[in-house]
Amino acid sequence: MYTMRRILFFLVFSLSFFEVSAQQTKFDYIFQEALRQKLDNKYDAAIDLFDYCRQLDPNSGAVLYELAELYRYVKNDSLAIHALEKACTLYPKNYWYKNQLVALYLENRRTDEALKNVEEMARLFPEMGEVLMMLLELYEKKNDDAKMVEVLDKIEVKEGKSEQLSMEKFRLVVQMNDEKRAFEEMQALADEYPNDQRYQVVIGDLYLDAGKKEEAFK
């Protein structure tokens, strides 16, 4: 009896294995054929084939990504966005899926959704400077000077201090009427480049604007 159970278990397991293997082979074949149709610019045929792949494996990120790209080719951005949103839900840490979704949001002027995704990308991929640059551009679109300064601080930590970064931060904090931070940024530049008198002149102007003539003359 025990031996019979083992035999039955082995048969069921073997049948399941072969069924899964056959399904995967079928998926792989159709996926490759869909890619071939895409390369031949036969987008409708490629979409049909990738859609069949999606029926075989609804959780395939590769299929969803390919479908999104094809939907863009045929000018159906709403379906492209839907496919990428699902891919990002299934694979929340995939940089390329998120990056492509952000591009689509921006093309469709959905800036708030793009910003939300880039903020998440900045948390997930802190080592990627291009994400911080995207974040900087989006905060600039929103005229959010304070957030821009935060991002510039992060870029400075990552890439090191530079005149360009410091001057941009200085411009923003002056725009924000943050007198204390403006002095700090300019003083940091003066300390970094002691032989460049331009920064001393700007500090003097800041003191004059603040009504501190004695400090300005010094």
Side-chain angles (χ1 to χ4, degrees), residues 122 132 135 149-159:
L132 291 176
L135 195 55
V149 171
E150 285 181 21
V151 176
L152 286 168
D153 282 337
K154 290 176 182 176
I155 293 173
E156 191 173 70
V157 168
K158 177 179 171 52
E159 299 183 0

Side-chain angles (χ1 to χ4, degrees), residues 65 76 108 117 130 155 159 194:
Y65 185 86
N76 195 333
N108 287 270
N117 275 268
E130 55 266 38
I155 293 173
E159 299 183 0

Side-chain angles (χ1 to χ4, degrees), residues 171-189:
R171 182 185 69 80
L172 289 167
V173 295
V174 167
Q175 225 166 250
M176 293 160 56
N177 295 314
D178 188 340
E179 182 182 295
K180 181 176 180 294
R181 185 69 190 270
F183 273 107
E184 288 174 354
E185 289 299 332
M186 196 49 58
Q187 189 60 58
L189 274 171

Side-chain angles (χ1 to χ4, degrees), residues 115-195:
L115 178 57
K116 182 180 176 183
N117 275 268
V118 177
E119 286 174 335
E120 187 180 359
M121 289 171 72
R123 290 191 293 272
L124 288 171
F125 314 108
E127 74 286 355
M128 302 191 76
E130 55 266 38
V131 175
L132 291 176
M133 294 308 297
M134 278 196 291
L135 195 55
L136 191 64
E137 289 176 15
L138 287 171
Y139 283 139
E140 188 173 17
K141 283 180 183 288
K142 303 285 286 184
N143 295 313
D144 194 332
D145 292 346
K147 287 291 187 182
M148 286 180 71
V149 171
E150 285 181 21
V151 176
L152 286 168
D153 282 337
K154 290 176 182 176
I155 293 173
E156 191 173 70
V157 168
K158 177 179 171 52
E159 299 183 0
K161 195 168 188 63
S162 75
E163 182 181 28
Q164 184 180 359
L165 283 176
S166 295
M167 288 302 294
E168 181 62 13
K169 282 198 288 180
F170 175 74
R171 182 185 69 80
L172 289 167
V173 295
V174 167
Q175 225 166 250
M176 293 160 56
N177 295 314
D178 188 340
E179 182 182 295
K180 181 176 180 294
R181 185 69 190 270
F183 273 107
E184 288 174 354
E185 289 299 332
M186 196 49 58
Q187 189 60 58
L189 274 171
D191 293 341
E192 186 80 13
Y193 307 101
N195 296 323

Side-chain angles (χ1 to χ4, degrees), residues 17-75:
F17 174 79
F18 286 121
E19 185 178 342
V20 170
S21 179
Q23 186 87 340
Q24 185 62 50
T25 301
K26 183 179 181 181
F27 176 92
D28 292 342
Y29 175 80
I30 296 170
F31 189 91
Q32 291 301 320
E33 179 59 22
L35 286 176
R36 192 178 69 79
Q37 295 291 333
K38 175 186 169 185
L39 290 173
D40 286 343
N41 297 325
K42 297 176 181 176
Y43 299 142
D44 290 338
I47 287 172
D48 288 341
L49 289 167
F50 278 125
D51 199 50
Y52 188 47
C53 286
R54 180 166 55 176
Q55 294 172 43
L56 294 173
D57 184 0
N59 296 330
S60 170
V63 168
L64 291 166
Y65 185 86
E66 290 291 344
L67 277 170
E69 191 171 53
L70 285 163
Y71 286 139
R72 287 182 77 185
Y73 290 161
V74 299
K75 309 298 182 186

